[in-house]
Structures are given as structure tokens and as C-alpha cells.
Amino acid sequence: MMKREEILDGLRQSPKVDVCVIGGGINGISVFRELALQGLNVLLVEKHDYCSGASAALSRMVHGGLRYLENGEFKLVQESLVERDRLLRNAPHYVAPLPTTVPVFDIFSGLGNGIVRFLGLSRRPSRRGAIAIKAGLSIYDFLTRKRALMPRHQFRGRRATLQKWPMLNPGTKSSATYFDAWVSHPERLGIELLQDGLRAGPAARALNYAEMRRVEDGGYVIVDQVGRTVTSIEPRFVINATGGWIDITNGALLPPQLQPGSLMGGTKGSHLIIDNAALRDALADHMIYYENEDGRICILFPYLGKVLVGSTDIRVDDPEGVRCEADERDYILQSLAFVLPGITIRLEEVVFQFSGVRPLPASTDSFTGRIPRDHFCTVVESQDGGVPVLCMIGGKWTTFRSFGELAADTTLERLGQSRRVETTARAIGGGRQFPSDIKAWIARLAAEAGVSLERGAELFRRYGTDAAVVAGFGVAGPDTPMPHDGYSERELLFLIRNEAVERLDDLLLRRTTLAVSGELSLDMMDAVLELLAAEKRWTAAQRAGERSRFLTQLRERHGVDEDRLSARNEQRSKKCDTTAKSG
Ligand SMILES: Cc1cc2nc3c(=O)[nH]c(=O)nc-3n(C[C@H](O)[C@H](O)[C@H](O)COP(=O)(O)OP(=O)(O)OC[C@H]3O[C@@H](n4cnc5c(N)ncnc54)[C@H](O)[C@@H]3O)c2cc1C
């Protein structure tokens, strides 16, 4: 990756860029990659870190969206299923099939309500019965029949359901199992997609912790929050890919008379990561996709050895700094108690929580679950000497490729250029040259890089085929263990040097899964901070400032305080003692 000073120097020498993409969530990165691949001079600016907004807050499902069928969004479901299947092929290191089971509590309801809703007589949520679910799943199977990457849906009667999932609510009448997919490292997939764009286009550049602003004389500047510099740029076209922030960004880019009004109506959603073995075992490796007592869909599935549970759906105007509030956490735990009544979760078993804003199109629907999930682009023309602004509205994570493609095609047309490269079958990052025999690939990696088979497998799980580069870097110099058995100093150094890491949370929350999986201890945090501070040549005061900023963020936004981190030091030392004794 080009260093930020080089990028800013380059802009000072030549401020003209074809396109400036504002917002480095998955959709901004996707359109950036598309345009970079076509050889455009494209600059992406992200005011926080890449994939730190909604793109870090998703339910981690890569799905067609079974429930969007009842809103009549067939086109979206079809497109999502195509993109889901493409991701299974193009990013197999992070996207995998997920057997999903829907417990059914009613036989008939849902279908009747669907008709009532279709006629516009009611917009209220209602219980989905077996017949409605059967209809939805048959459509799912029909839409994927040609590719047929995963098995078709299957129904189980009450007895068979409770035999397989004995902890399920005894009111369950039957269940339906179908296949969707999940993504293990969505934030890493974002950074790999970005790197693919940067590699593909010599004139493509990207900066996190940077904003584009319009200044008084009508020109545009890049404000770099790291070096605290301001650099003029002259874009021909701007893409507003700021998700839930779209209206706020337009407010800063466009004069009041040109502002398109409210395009966005975001809803906040929160999730918990729970460390409870009984809960994990109760899922039998399936996602449970169920309707809560209030008619809202909730989910839970095994995630990195823990269980991911969500979510809520609350309207918000400003996505900045949203967090999972105590009442949301209680709602999620109550919904869990409804579907698995025999399992008790203690608050200390909630090891991480996260929240984000769904970038939904503006809507007046009172039930947030019914707001359309589809995406589209709107170009706001400039009449005051500024440049046109293409706004990317809506969009699920699953459809980031097709949405990026749509925005790129609109942009190319406006700039009078044509598409040279397609992305439909283009592998992403460590999904390239994905082996059919994973075991043999890992054995070769271990032999070539001189690491153990276990370590090779761990790196493969984390980076796919890019594990070879990470392992190569790891053995190219003296390495030191870290206060976490799975990471070495050089692996983290690799990430710091190659993946645009500027702050501690970039590394602990997004380049790695240390925090989200509840594995981060205070000792590990301090060791990683030490490493980062040395690389960035921070003063003692800067280092202390970063430590306290990170701890505040972790406590306020993710529900993890310093005592919790410190307790994990003790858990680790106990584990080490036991290993030493048994060794
Ligand atoms: C609770 C929840 C659950 C979800 N579950 C799923 C799911 O399971 N599957 C699925 O497919 N989708 C899911 N989604 C939807 C999906 O996460 C989003 O649609 C997708 O991540 C949106 O990406 P984005 O790039 O448009 O927005 P974001 O990821 O929010 O990116 C916008 C970026 O713009 C930046 N920005 C804002 N203002 C500026 C500025 N002035 N200058 C520079 N940068 C700026 C922000 O910092 C942010 O990083 C879920 C969303 C939520 C919130």
C-alpha cells in the first residue's frame, strides 16, 4: 500500500482526480475497486477506518433475505442469491455455507397476513406460519436451482426438531432447514477488496482517517486527520458512499438549494457475542432464524467459538457513535430466552457487543422491518461550479459487488468511458487460487515456510491463500510470542505495515478478530500498543492518549471494560499453568 505521505504529495503535485469516492465501507470500497480496475484515477477517502460503520455491524449473514420475500422484494432476493453464490466462489476463505433452521410456531398464519399486506390493508408484523415459510423456501430453491451450490430446504416435524434441538422452545410445531451463508471476517474482506483495487489500478489511491470537504471558494480539499494537513483536489465526479451518513455528507458537499432532501432513513441494529458452551452446543452448528414474540426476526449462530445473537431495529438520524444500549441488550437476551428457554445467560458471558446503522432508503413505514432493502443510485447535478455527486442509497453487505458495479457503470457513462474488466468471477484477496485440497495446501505451506501444521492452518483460516505471504514475512526475521497463543509479533507487524493501520482499534477490532471473539486481554492490548507505538514512533504521551481512547471506545461502544480485559490476563495465565503442569 502506498504510504499516506506519498498519496498526499502526489495530490499536491497533481490535484486532478477522475473520481473521489467518499466513504470506505464495503459499498464505497466496492465501487472503488470497480473504477480502479477500469484504470481510472480514483481516490477513496474514509473519515474513520475502513469498514468501521455498518460494514462492521452486520449480522454476518451472506443471504438472499428470506424475509424480504414477504415485502415483495423478489428482484432483490434474486440478486442477493446470485451475489451470495458468487461470494461463496470468489471469497471462499471468509464466506461459507450456513445451515439455517427456522422453528415454526404456527401452521397457517403468515400466508393470510402476506395477502393482507399485499393488498395494502396492514403493515404490521405478524407470525409466519409453516405454509408461508414453505412458500418462501420453495422460491429460494427455485431461484438457485441452476447453480444448486447447496442442498434444498427440508422440513422436520415436531419430534424430529426437538430431537435435534432439545433446548428449543417446546411450543415449536415443526422446523424448516435451508442453506444460506455467513462471513467470518467482513472487515478483513473489505481491506482485501481495497488492496485488490489498489493493486489493479496504478492511479488508484485510498486514505482512511481523511475527509473531503467543500471550501468557501467552491473548491474541494482533503483533510488528513493523521498528519493534520489540508490538500486541494480537483475531482471530475464525486461518489457519496457514506451509507447512513449520506444526507449529512450531502449537506456538507452541496449548497442548500441543490440538496436532494432526505434520501436516507437509517435504523440502528445491535448484536451480542456470547460465550456460553450450552448455548453453542444447543445450536448443533446451525443458525436459528426465528420470529420473536413481537414478530421481529432474530438470529443466532455459532461464531468463532462463541455465539452471535441479534438484532434490534431502531430509527436513528445520525450514525456517529451508535452503541448497543442496555435496553437493546435486554431485548436480545429476552428474545434468546424465548427461543431457548432452558438456557440462562449471565451478563459476564456477553463478551462483546456492537451496533451500526442500516443505510435504508427514506421511508415512512412505521414498522422498520418493512422498509425496502434494495439499493439504487441518484446523481445530484451541480449548477454552481461544483461536480456531480452520485449517491449510493441502501444496499446490503451481500450485494456490495453488484451495487459497486451499478455505481461504477453510471460513473463510467458520465465520464464517457467504457468498462474493460468484469468482477463477477473475480476472486478476492486470499480467495485467489483457492485450493481444492486445503490439507495438502497447508502441509506445503508449513514445509516451505518452516511453521507447524497447526500454525499453517491458523494462518490459512485467517488469510486464505494470503497466508503464504504472512507466513513468509513471519519467518523472515526474529519473531517473539505475544500474550495470546495465536499471534506472533511479526504477524501483527505485517498487518501494521501492509494494511493501513493507524490506530489501535484498526488492528484489534478489524484487521484481527481479537476483540469481537472476546479473546482480547489487557496484556495483549498493551503488547500490541507497544508494537504499534514503536512502528509509528509515537511519544509516550501519544501512546498513553491512544491507550485511554481505545479503552473508552471498548467500554462505551462494545461493553468491555478494563477489569474484564484484566480478568482475561488471569484466565490466560491459568491456562498456561495447566498446560505447563500437564506438559
Ligand atoms: C445491524 C445490522 C445488521 C445487518 N446485517 C446484514 C447481514 O447480515 N447481511 C447483509 O448482507 N447486510 C447486513 N446489513 C447491511 C450492511 O451491513 C450494510 O448495508 C452495508 O455494510 C453498508 O455498507 P456501506 O458501505 O454503504 O456503509 P458503511 O459501512 O456505514 O460505510 C459508510 C462509511 O462512510 C464513512 N463516512 C461517513 N461520512 C464521511 C465523510 N464525510 N467523509 C468520509 N467518510 C465518511 C463512515 O465512516 C463509514 O465508514 C446489516 C446492517 C446492520 C446495521
Side-chain angles (χ1 to χ4, degrees):
M1 258 188 190
M2 210 192 267
K3 296 227 167 357
R4 32 195 326 126
E5 301 78 45
E6 285 174 65
I7 296 177
L8 290 163
D9 273 349
L11 287 172
R12 274 175 215 122
Q13 279 159 26
S14 169
K16 287 195 185 329
V17 295
D18 293 326
V19 182
C20 181
V21 178
I22 309 180
I26 198 67
N27 286 323
I29 293 177
S30 172
V31 66
F32 170 81
R33 176 186 72 149
E34 293 279 340
L35 294 173
L37 281 166
Q38 318 310 324
L40 261 69
N41 175 345
V42 53
L43 171 72
L44 180 142
V45 285
E46 160 56 54
K47 76 169 169 177
H48 297 305
D49 186 28
Y50 303 116
C51 291
S52 58
S55 303
L58 61 152
S59 303
R60 289 159 200 251
M61 289 157 67
V62 179
H63 62 152
L66 186 60
R67 79 191 167 88
Y68 308 140
L69 287 174
E70 62 181 28
N71 292 355
E73 296 192 81
F74 294 102
K75 196 184 123 280
L76 172 68
V77 174
Q78 182 164 28
E79 179 177 338
S80 305
L81 286 169
V82 169
E83 291 303 323
R84 178 198 75 182
D85 290 353
R86 283 189 175 132
L87 276 167
L88 284 164
R89 289 208 171 95
N90 294 338
H93 57 319
Y94 294 147
V95 180
L98 178 65
T100 302
T101 291
V102 189
V104 181
F105 301 105
D106 286 302
I107 306 290
F108 294 108
S109 60
L111 197 64
N113 283 306
I115 294 165
V116 170
R117 262 199 310 278
F118 183 72
L119 295 173
L121 299 177
S122 164
R123 304 285 296 167
R124 289 191 39 241
S126 50
R127 298 205 75 76
R128 292 137 182 106
I131 295 175
I133 291 167
K134 175 89 194 158
L137 291 176
S138 302
I139 297 174
Y140 237 60
D141 285 343
F142 180 77
L143 292 175
T144 49
R145 70 198 180 284
K146 288 202 182 122
R147 301 184 297 278
L149 292 184
M150 295 183 284
R152 296 164 72 90
H153 80 267
Q154 171 199 351
F155 260 84
R156 282 187 178 86
R158 182 169 192 277
R159 230 167 54 151
T161 302
L162 292 176
Q163 213 163 28
K164 189 160 171 69
W165 295 278
M167 303 304 283
L168 265 185
N169 185 322
T172 307
K173 302 265 191 312
S174 61
S175 68
T177 296
Y178 67 103
F179 276 77
D180 246 324
W182 69 294
V183 51
S184 55
H185 300 65
E187 304 87 351
R188 283 208 54 78
L189 193 136
I191 199 93
E192 293 183 11
L193 196 69
L194 182 87
Q195 286 179 319
D196 288 353
L198 290 168
R199 281 192 206 107
R205 292 164 286 185
L207 288 169
N208 50 358
Y209 299 102
E211 270 181 78
M212 191 187 84
R213 292 207 190 127
R214 190 132 192 230
V215 282
E216 268 175 22
D217 67 3
Y220 299 93
V221 292
I222 299 296
V223 181
D224 169 27
Q225 295 167 24
V226 177
R228 308 211 173 275
T229 59
V230 177
T231 309
S232 294
I233 62 157
E234 296 169 26
R236 285 170 68 198
F237 197 77
V238 170
I239 297 180
N240 179 354
T242 57
W245 286 263
I246 281 216
D247 292 330
I248 299 170
T249 309
N250 278 342
L253 277 183
L254 297 159
Q257 70 277 16
L258 288 183
Q259 280 173 33
S262 182
L263 297 171
M264 219 35 128
T267 69
K268 174 170 83 146
S270 299
H271 290 88
L272 310 179
I273 303 284
I274 297 180
D275 186 8
N276 177 305
L279 175 64
R280 199 187 51 226
D281 296 347
L283 302 180
D285 291 329
H286 278 228
M287 168 184 263
I288 305 291
Y289 182 90
Y290 66 101
E291 190 184 71
N292 194 17
E293 284 162 299
D294 59 2
R296 285 202 56 255
I297 298 287
C298 295
I299 55 130
L300 67 157
F301 68 99
Y303 182 72
L304 308 178
K306 312 286 186 309
V307 177
L308 185 152
V309 196
S311 68
T312 51
D313 208 349
I314 301 163
R315 278 187 190 275
V316 290
D317 291 328
D318 185 353
E320 205 63 49
V322 292
R323 59 181 187 189
C324 175
E325 302 292 346
D327 56 346
E328 289 179 87
R329 186 196 57 202
D330 294 347
Y331 170 86
I332 296 172
L333 291 176
Q334 268 164 20
S335 79
L336 197 58
F338 162 70
V339 74
L340 296 165
I343 294 179
T344 311
I345 306 296
R346 287 178 292 128
L347 280 187
E348 59 270 28
E349 290 170 341
V350 179
V351 293
F352 193 78
Q353 52 197 41
F354 57 90
S355 193
V357 175
R358 301 175 181 86
L360 305 178
S363 158
T364 51
D365 209 309
S366 57
F367 179 54
T368 47
R370 301 247 181 279
I371 303 174
R373 262 40 180 186
D374 206 358
H375 55 249
F376 59 94
C377 297
T378 296
V379 180
V380 183
E381 302 297 342
S382 153
Q383 290 144 21
D384 70 334
V387 296
V389 179
L390 180 148
C391 302
M392 295 178 76
I393 318 290
K396 296 165 58 185
W397 192 92
T398 307
T399 49
F400 70 76
R401 196 211 60 83
S402 54
F403 194 15
E405 182 182 67
L406 174 73
D409 285 341
T410 314
T411 308
L412 289 171
E413 201 185 317
R414 292 293 302 244
L415 298 181
Q417 305 221 17
S418 47
R419 176 174 281 278
R420 296 192 219 151
V421 182
E422 295 291 338
T423 51
T424 44
R426 199 174 183 89
I428 298 169
R432 264 187 295 268
Q433 289 162 359
F434 204 74
S436 48
D437 185 345
I438 293 176
K439 255 186 161 172
W441 194 95
I442 292 170
R444 206 171 52 243
L445 170 77
E448 282 171 8
V451 296
S452 69
L453 276 178
E454 199 188 3
R455 176 76 177 143
E458 187 161 57
L459 292 176
F460 185 80
R461 249 192 328 273
R462 276 185 204 146
Y463 308 106
T465 52
D466 283 349
V469 192
V470 183
F473 181 87
V475 294
D479 208 352
T480 316
M482 298 290 285
H484 181 292
D485 301 332
Y487 284 87
S488 76
E489 190 176 289
R490 283 189 69 82
E491 180 181 347
L492 291 156
L493 265 186
F494 177 87
L495 301 179
I496 295 173
R497 291 185 186 165
N498 295 289
E499 297 194 348
V501 171
E502 297 296 339
R503 308 252 161 98
L504 195 52
D505 40 311
D506 304 346
L507 203 49
L508 298 177
L509 262 67
R510 291 174 289 275
R511 306 302 181 271
T512 68
T513 51
L514 275 162
V516 72
S517 62
E519 289 174 19
L520 183 65
S521 66
L522 197 63
D523 285 350
M524 183 63 172
M525 184 202 82
D526 279 323
V528 175
L529 175 63
E530 197 68 31
L531 207 58
L532 184 59
E535 279 291 301
K536 299 281 176 197
R537 297 174 202 275
W538 285 340
T539 61
Q542 280 174 310
R543 192 171 50 189
E546 180 62 6
R547 187 179 195 272
S548 110
R549 191 193 61 81
F550 177 73
L551 282 171
T552 307
Q553 185 190 57
L554 208 57
R555 183 183 65 246
E556 290 185 353
R557 295 195 60 188
H558 303 291
V560 184
D561 62 19
E562 197 170 337
D563 289 347
R564 201 62 107 74
L565 293 180
S566 161
R568 290 185 196 153
N569 289 344
E570 282 157 32
Q571 281 162 12
R572 182 170 182 272
S573 44
K574 270 191 208 136
K575 212 165 110 188
C576 290
D577 282 355
T578 329
T579 322
K581 274 181 202 140
S582 60

